[in-house]
Amino acid sequence: MSRRSDALAPVVLALGLVAAGCSNDPGASDPLDLAEPPTEPMVSEPDQGPTQRTAPTDITGLDLDLGHWADDERSRTLERYLAAVGQTVRDKATSPLFLDSTSAQQMDDRRALAAQAKDLGATVADTTLAHLSGLEDRGTTTVAQVCLWAPSVAFVDERTGEPLRPTPRRWTPRSVTMTFVQQQWWVVDEARGRFACDEEAP
C-alpha cells in the first residue's frame, strides 16, 4: 500500500498504532501523552489468539508506507491491524480486520479506545498516515517500528473536526509487537517506541 491511501485512530494519540484502552500498562494501551518521553515497548504473548478467521473488509483509511518490507508477510498483519484501529474508532464498531491480525486481548484494548472516543464525541482523521521504519526480528516475535503522523491519529471533535487538545505536527514512534501463533502473525501489543522518526512532514 503506498503512502497516501487511507485510515486510523486515537485522545492524545494512540496507535494506537495508535492509543487508548483499558489495560493497566500506560505504555501499551493508554493514550500517548505527547509531553512524556517514549518508554520501552512491552512484549506480551497472546493467551490464544483469535480462533476464527473471517473474510476481511477492504483496507481503508490507512496510508502506510511499508518501504523495504512491502512483501514481508508481517507487514500484511501490521497493515490490517493499523487499518482496523482507525476503522473501529471512526465507526464505533469492531472492524473485521482485527479478526485475522490481532490477539483477543489487544483487540479488546483497541475497542476500549473506540468506546472512549464515543464517550467524548470524538473521532480521528479519515486517513491515518504512517510509515514502517523497521522490523526487529526476535524469532517467533517481531517488533515493528512504526511512525505515525500525530495529527492523523489524534482525537478530534466529531462535529467540528477540531483537535480535543493541541497536537504537535510531527511523526510519533510506536512499537507494535507481533507473535507467530497458529501458523500466522498476530499483533499482541502496541507501545511508545524508543527510536527516531526522521521522515519529512507530509
Side-chain angles (χ1 to χ4, degrees):
M1 192 171 249
S2 66
R3 163 135 248 113
R4 248 39 348 129
S5 69
D6 320 345
L8 172 94
V11 132
V12 257
L13 233 177
L15 190 337
L17 117 169
V18 114
C22 52
S23 169
N24 290 327
D25 179 358
S29 299
D30 290 342
L32 175 59
D33 185 342
L34 299 172
E36 292 181 16
T39 59
E40 285 283 356
M42 182 187 87
V43 178
S44 60
E45 295 288 329
D47 291 334
Q48 278 292 345
T51 56
Q52 200 170 20
R53 298 183 179 93
T54 311
T57 58
D58 291 337
I59 293 176
T60 59
L62 175 66
D63 183 355
L64 173 62
D65 182 357
L66 293 172
H68 302 299
W69 301 275
D71 296 325
D72 193 302
E73 63 177 317
R74 294 168 295 181
S75 297
R76 302 277 76 80
T77 295
L78 177 66
E79 184 176 51
R80 298 169 84 72
Y81 168 72
L82 293 178
V85 174
Q87 290 177 6
T88 298
V89 174
R90 277 185 227 98
D91 298 341
K92 311 299 186 289
T94 303
S95 168
L97 293 173
F98 274 137
L99 300 180
D100 65 355
S101 69
T102 312
S103 70
Q105 179 59 56
Q106 184 67 9
M107 179 166 51
D108 285 346
D109 286 350
R110 301 307 100 179
R111 286 192 291 214
L113 176 66
Q116 182 182 17
K118 184 176 182 179
D119 289 344
L120 293 169
T123 187
V124 290
D126 290 340
T127 301
T128 297
L129 304 182
H131 69 90
L132 178 58
S133 293
L135 289 174
E136 182 182 343
D137 191 358
R138 301 177 182 175
T140 56
T141 298
T142 291
V143 177
Q145 297 178 335
V146 182
C147 292
L148 296 171
W149 182 242
S152 75
V153 293
F155 277 167
V156 297
D157 187 282
E158 211 156 23
R159 295 165 304 166
T160 67
E162 292 298 314
L164 295 193
R165 58 177 284 177
T167 303
R169 294 182 58 78
R170 70 183 184 205
W171 294 99
T172 302
R174 300 295 290 177
S175 291
V176 179
T177 302
M178 295 177 280
T179 298
F180 195 71
V181 178
Q182 300 174 351
Q183 305 304 307
Q184 165 167 357
W185 290 96
W186 303 94
V187 170
V188 295
D189 184 67
E190 181 193 332
R192 298 176 184 89
R194 296 178 61 87
F195 57 90
C197 291
D198 52 11
E199 184 164 296
E200 292 183 6

